[in-house]
Amino acid sequence: AVAALGSLLALILGVSRTTLAMARDRHLPPALAAVHPRFAVPHRAELAVGAVVAVLAATADLRGAIGFSSFEVLAYYAVANASAWTLTPAEGRPPRIVPGLGLAGCLLLAFALPVSSVVSGAAVLALGAAAYGVRRAAIR
């Protein structure tokens, strides 16, 4: 329980920073981009992410939520590894084996999760990609 709580808190903090960045880029409501003047933390994003997590924890099957969350985190890390692959040596690219193994490991673990987690996670990623594409097309 302590390990799960620690992991959950770390994910909430990480997701709130991602929420902040997405709000700054106008992919999420701009109100979520607020940074607390005294503590320099994205307090609105943290509260929003915390509320979503609390609602899910209270209403969803936790095993399914954990599987879904695991798939999405692994997909996020796979994108980070794929991005590291594209760095140039001048940008501090690690040896190609590092992001290559990272990407392969993330994909292996993600697709080793229960089928329901993979399907629901992939569906949410596809929905997000479609929404992004529609939004980009509307801006042009």
Side-chain angles (χ1 to χ4, degrees), residues 38-102:
R38 180 174 173 202
F39 300 111
V41 297
H43 60 292
R44 290 183 187 165
E46 287 179 353
L47 290 172
V49 169
V52 169
V53 168
V55 168
L56 286 174
T59 61
D61 171 34
L62 290 183
R63 291 173 296 182
I66 290 169
F68 171 81
S69 173
S70 297
F71 182 85
E72 298 301 347
V73 168
L74 287 164
Y76 177 84
Y77 289 155
V79 169
N81 279 289
S83 298
W85 181 275
T86 68
L87 293 173
T88 64
E91 294 171 314
R93 181 186 74 212
R96 292 274 174 143
I97 188 88
V98 174
L101 287 174

